[in-house]
C-alpha cells in the first residue's frame, strides 16, 4: 500500500481524498495556489506546498509543478480528484514515467475514451445506442446542415472535449444551427483549448441516468447501480439521487439493462479504477450513451450511501494493485440517498456566482446527514474557481424520508456572507412533482419559468 499521496486538487474533493487517506493510514501532501493558502485541505494534509498563482493555468493545471512537488515530498501516488488534470492522459503518463502512481484509469483506457466523439464510436461498437448524430467531428457549416437534415431538428452541437455543461448548444433550425455551431466552437476553444464539435439528436424531456463503475487491474469490472441527475440548470447538475425514481416506478426492467450496457462499454475500453458511464433516457424507455467520466464524480457520495462502499478508498486500493474484493453479486442497495450541490450563487440573480467571505457557518447534523465541504466560518471563497462550496447528502429508508430529511437539513444549514443555492433546492424538495418523482432535465427551467418563480421569490 502507498505510504504517501499527493492530492492534486482543491476544495471539497481534496478534503474528501485526504479523509480516505487518513483512514488508510496514508500520509498526505496538499498543493495549493496563492489564493488557497487558508483552504481547509491545506490545514488537513500532513504537508502542503504552494504551486503558484490563483489562475488554474498557473497552479492546479501545471504538470511540471505538481511533479516537482511530488518529487520533493517523495510521494508514491497522486490523486487528481475531478476537473483540472483528472482526465488528462498525458498527466497520467508523466506520473507513471516518474514512478508515481496515478490514481485513476490507465492512460490506455483514457485514450480509448479520449473525447466524446471517440467514446460514442466505442459505445456503438460495444452494441450500445447513442443519440443519432455525426460520425465524429463536424468540420464545417455544410456538413452540419447535412447531418441536421438527416437526423432532423432539434439537434445539439457539442464540444468533443466538453465538461461541466459547457460547449453545447441546441438548434431548432438551420439559422440557429449555424449560430450554435460557431458559439459552441468558440466556447469550447476558450474552455478546453479544443474547438472540435460533433452533432447529435437533441432528446426532448430526457432523464440523465448514470452508472458508477469500478474496475481493477486484473480486468474485473462491476457496477454500483445508478444515480439520477436530471435536476440540472444549464446542463449542470444541482441535485442527484439514487435509486432513480424513473427506474423504480416507470421502467423497472431498465436498471439491469443500463447497468450491463455500462459494463460493456467499460470492458470495451479495458477500463480501470472508478468511472461513470452517463446515459440519457427518453419517455419511452430508450436509453442512449452520452459520455464516460474517467474520474471520481462530484455526486459519488450518493452511491456510497446506498451501497456502503467507499469509492475513494476503492480508487486507492485499485491503484495500489489490489484486486477488487467486491463481486457484482455482493453489491447490495439499501435505502435512498439525495445530494444537493451547494453553490455560492444567487438563485434570485440568475445564479450569478457569489464569492466572498463566509461570515456565519453552521452545518446540519442529526441522523443520516453528511456534509462534504471545505467551507468554515471566516473562509473566503475566491472568485477564481467554480462556485461549489460543498455538498449536502442525506439518506432515508425510502425516497419520501430522504426528501423530508433533506428539506429539514437545508433549513438548518446556515451560511451568511455569501448567497447560496439552498433556498432553491429547498423549494424543489417541496415541489409536488419532484416529490412524486416525476421530472426530467427540463424540471428546473420549468420551475424558474412559470408561476413557481414567484413562489420561490416570495419566501425570501
Ligand atoms: P460531474 O460529472 O462529476 O457531475 P461536472 O460536469 O459537474 O461533474 O464537473 C465537475 C467539475 O469538473 C467541475 O468543477 C467542472 O467545472 C469540472 N470539469 C468537468 N469536466 C471538465 C473538463 N473537460 N475540463 C475542465 N473542467 C472540467
Ligand atoms: P458534460 O460533459 O458537460 O457533462 P454531457 O454530454 O454529459 O456533457 O451532457 C450534459 C447534460 O446535457 C446532460 O445531462 C443532458 O441534460 C444534456 N444533454 C447532453 N446531450 C443531450 C442530448 N443529446 N439531448 C438532450 N440533452 C442532452
Ligand atoms: Mg456529463
Amino acid at each position: 500500500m502507498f505510504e504517501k499521496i499527493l492530492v492534486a486538487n482543491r476544495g471539497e474533493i481534496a478534503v474528501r481524498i485526504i479523509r480516505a487517506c487518513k483512514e488508510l493510514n496514508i500520509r498526505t501532501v496538499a498543493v495549493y495556489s496563492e489564493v488557497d493558502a487558508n483552504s481547509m485541505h491545506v490545514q488537513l494534509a500532513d504537508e502542503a506546498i504552494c504551486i503558484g498563482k490563483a489562475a488554474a493555468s498557473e497552479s492546479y493545471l501545471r504538470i511540471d509543478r505538481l511533479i516537482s512537488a511530488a518529487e520533493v515530498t517523495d510521494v508514491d501516488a497522486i490523486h487528481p480528484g475531478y476537473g483540472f488534470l483528472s482526465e488528462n492522459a498525458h498527466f497520467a503518463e508523466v506520473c507513471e514515467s516518474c514512478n508515481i502512481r496515478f490514481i485513476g484509469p490507465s492512460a490506455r483506457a483514457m485514450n480509448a475514451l479520449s473525447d466524446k466523439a471517440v467514446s460514442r464510436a466505442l459505445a456503438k461498437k460495444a452494441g450500445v445506442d447513442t443519440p443519432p448524430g455525426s460520425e465524429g467531428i463536424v468540420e464545417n457549416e455544410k456538413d452540419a446542415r447535412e447531418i441536421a437534415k438527416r437526423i432532423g431538428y432539434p439537434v445539439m452541437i457539442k464540444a468533443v472535449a466538453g465538461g461541466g455543461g459547457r460547449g453545447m448548444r441546441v438548434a431548432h433550425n438551420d439559422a440557429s444551427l449555424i449560430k450554435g455551431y460557431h458559439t459552441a466552437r468558440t466556447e469550447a476553444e476558450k474552455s478546453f483549448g479544443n474547438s472540435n464539435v460533433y452533432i447529435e439528436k437533441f432528446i426532448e424531456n430526457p432523464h440523465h441516468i448514470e452508472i458508477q463503475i469500478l474496475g481493477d487491474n486484473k480486468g474485473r469490472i462491476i457496477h454500483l447501480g445508478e444515480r439520477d441527475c436530471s435536476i440540472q440548470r444549464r446542463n449542470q447538475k444541482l441535485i442527484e439521487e439514487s435509486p432513480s425514481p424513473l427506474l423504480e416506478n416507470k421502467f423497472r426492467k431498465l436498471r439491469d439493462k443500463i447497468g450491463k450496457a455500462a459494463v460493456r462499454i467499460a470492458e470495451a475500453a479495458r477500463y480501470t479504477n472508478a468511472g461513470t458511464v452517463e446515459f440519457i433516457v427518453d419517455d419511452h424507455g430508450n436509453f442512449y450513451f452520452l459520455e464516460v467520466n474517467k474520474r471520481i464524480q462530484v455526486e459519488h457520495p450518493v452511491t456510497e450511501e446506498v451501497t456502503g462502499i467507499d469509492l475513494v478508498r476503492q480508487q486507492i486500493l485499485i491503484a495500489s494493485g489490489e484486486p477488487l474484493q467486491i463481486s457484482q453479486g455482493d453489491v447490495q442497495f439499501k435505502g435512498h440517498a439525495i445530494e444537493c450541490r451547494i453553490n455560492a450563487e444567487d438563485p434570485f440573480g440568475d445564479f450569478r456566482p457569489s464569492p466572498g467571505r463566509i461570515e456565519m457557518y453552521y452545518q446540519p447534523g442529526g441522523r443520516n446527514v453528511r456534509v462534504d465541504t471545505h467551507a468554515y466560518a471566516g473562509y473566503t471563497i475566491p472568485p477564481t474557481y467554480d462556485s461549489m462550496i460543498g455538498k449536502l447528502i442525506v439518506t432515508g429508508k425510502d425516497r419520501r424520508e430522504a426528501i423530508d430529511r433533506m428539506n429539514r437539513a437545508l433549513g438548518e444549514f446556515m451560511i451568511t456572507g455569501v448567497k447560496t443555492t439552498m433556498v432553491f433546492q429547498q423549494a424543489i424538495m417541496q415541489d409536488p412533482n419532484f416529490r412524486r418523482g416525476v421530472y426530467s432535465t427540463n424540471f428546473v427551467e420549468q420551475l424558474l419559468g412559470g408561476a413557481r418563480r414567484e413562489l420561490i421569490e416570495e419566501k425570501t
Side-chain angles (χ1 to χ4, degrees):
M1 179 42 66
F2 305 127
E3 283 179 13
K4 210 196 239 187
I5 290 176
L6 182 140
V7 182
N9 215 301
R10 63 179 301 282
E12 69 84 19
I13 194 64
V15 170
R16 170 71 186 88
I17 296 162
I18 292 168
R19 285 179 175 149
C21 290
K22 285 187 192 256
E23 290 178 13
L24 283 161
N25 293 307
I26 298 170
R27 280 177 296 139
T28 51
V29 178
V31 293
Y32 61 97
S33 70
E34 284 171 8
V35 76
D36 274 342
N38 293 321
S39 199
M40 191 52 98
H41 73 289
V42 177
Q43 319 296 317
L44 292 177
D46 297 306
E47 293 168 61
I49 293 188
C50 182
I51 52 165
K53 295 205 190 312
S57 58
E58 286 299 313
S59 49
Y60 299 106
L61 290 173
R62 283 289 293 264
I63 294 180
D64 54 342
R65 296 195 185 153
L66 290 164
I67 297 290
S68 304
E71 287 187 329
V72 168
T73 52
D74 197 23
V75 300
D76 312 299
I78 292 184
H79 196 306
Y82 52 67
F84 298 127
L85 293 168
S86 58
E87 300 188 70
N88 186 312
H90 171 65
F91 180 52
E93 275 162 6
V94 173
C95 290
E96 298 293 337
S97 71
C98 296
N99 242 332
I100 300 162
R101 199 64 59 77
F102 176 81
I103 303 175
S106 65
R108 177 184 34 74
M110 277 205 249
N111 285 324
L113 299 161
S114 59
D115 69 37
K116 292 190 194 188
V118 169
S119 306
R120 263 171 71 89
L122 181 129
K124 272 193 219 164
K125 256 215 215 132
V128 179
D129 287 343
T130 57
S134 60
E135 301 271 336
I137 295 156
V138 179
E139 304 280 359
N140 53 52
E141 292 183 4
K142 182 171 156 283
D143 290 356
R145 266 194 301 265
E146 269 165 25
I147 289 149
K149 194 165 175 212
R150 176 166 58 78
I151 63 177
Y153 285 107
V155 303
M156 214 170 190
I157 306 124
K158 298 176 67 172
V160 298
R166 278 167 298 162
M168 54 178 87
R169 289 291 182 280
V170 182
H172 289 89
N173 52 50
D174 279 5
S176 65
L177 176 76
I178 299 308
K179 197 167 158 246
Y181 178 74
H182 293 290
T183 48
R185 281 175 60 92
T186 309
E187 191 174 309
E189 178 63 44
K190 229 176 88 194
S191 307
F192 316 113
N194 176 350
S195 63
N196 288 334
V197 296
Y198 65 106
I199 290 179
E200 64 186 24
K201 180 89 186 163
F202 179 66
I203 311 291
E204 302 199 60
N205 305 316
H207 302 257
H208 173 114
I209 292 179
E210 58 184 36
I211 305 289
Q212 177 69 50
I213 294 287
L214 279 181
D216 64 17
N217 300 327
K218 313 271 185 289
R220 186 200 277 204
I221 296 175
I222 60 167
H223 75 78
L224 304 186
E226 84 278 5
R227 294 183 287 259
D228 195 316
C229 313
S230 305
I231 305 294
Q232 307 180 347
R233 185 181 159 271
R234 301 206 172 145
N235 305 316
Q236 252 195 314
K237 300 158 189 167
L238 267 179
I239 299 173
E240 304 97 350
E241 62 180 316
S242 185
S244 161
L246 186 74
L247 301 191
E248 284 289 283
N249 304 328
K250 200 168 168 193
F251 298 126
R252 292 191 73 92
K253 293 204 179 100
L254 218 51
R255 172 172 291 129
D256 190 48
K257 281 193 197 159
I258 299 186
K260 284 184 173 139
V263 170
R264 278 210 304 283
I265 289 168
E267 282 171 351
R270 291 204 279 151
Y271 198 83
T272 56
N273 215 288
T276 297
V277 187
E278 295 190 333
F279 297 91
I280 39 179
V281 182
D282 72 13
D283 275 340
H284 310 289
N286 302 308
F287 64 92
Y288 304 97
F289 167 81
L290 272 189
E291 64 162 338
V292 179
N293 290 135
K294 308 176 281 292
R295 53 173 164 86
I296 192 75
Q297 248 176 313
V298 174
E299 58 273 23
H300 75 276
V302 160
T303 299
E304 295 185 323
E305 296 305 320
V306 294
T307 61
I309 296 169
D310 181 329
L311 285 166
V312 177
R313 185 188 183 95
Q314 289 299 323
Q315 285 194 290
I316 297 169
L317 293 175
I318 290 168
S320 79
E322 298 250 336
L324 264 180
Q325 304 286 342
I326 313 152
S327 69
Q328 191 64 62
D330 294 338
V331 183
Q332 301 280 330
F333 302 94
K334 194 169 159 246
H336 196 98
I338 307 179
E339 172 182 281
C340 286
R341 296 189 188 194
I342 315 295
N343 296 334
E345 290 171 0
D346 181 3
F348 307 114
D350 203 27
F351 292 83
R352 261 189 310 278
S354 171
R357 186 168 188 271
I358 296 177
E359 300 296 339
M360 192 183 138
Y361 179 90
Y362 175 81
Q363 73 180 43
R367 287 187 65 212
N368 299 326
V369 174
R370 165 176 172 181
V371 179
D372 279 20
T373 184
H374 59 297
Y376 55 88
Y379 172 66
T380 297
I381 303 160
T384 327
Y385 311 104
D386 69 28
S387 52
M388 199 182 70
I389 47 175
K391 306 178 309 205
L392 172 58
I393 307 106
V394 304
T395 38
K397 68 176 188 313
D398 53 27
R399 188 166 186 269
R400 179 51 69 95
E401 192 179 283
I403 292 174
D404 290 338
R405 180 160 291 137
M406 181 60 89
N407 188 41
R408 183 272 286 177
L410 284 165
E412 219 172 278
F413 213 147
M414 272 182 251
I415 299 178
T416 65
V418 298
K419 300 198 163 88
T420 81
T421 45
M422 287 195 291
V423 51
F424 184 61
Q425 283 149 329
Q426 203 173 20
I428 294 177
M429 292 304 135
Q430 294 162 11
D431 179 87
N433 286 325
F434 179 77
R435 294 179 73 86
R436 281 167 53 222
V438 180
Y439 61 77
S440 74
T441 59
N442 286 334
F443 179 86
V444 168
E445 211 170 301
Q446 281 165 357
L447 198 64
L448 289 173
R452 299 236 127 229
R453 177 161 211 152
E454 286 135 50
L455 203 149
I456 296 163
E457 280 170 4
E458 239 169 42
K459 290 209 315 193
T460 54

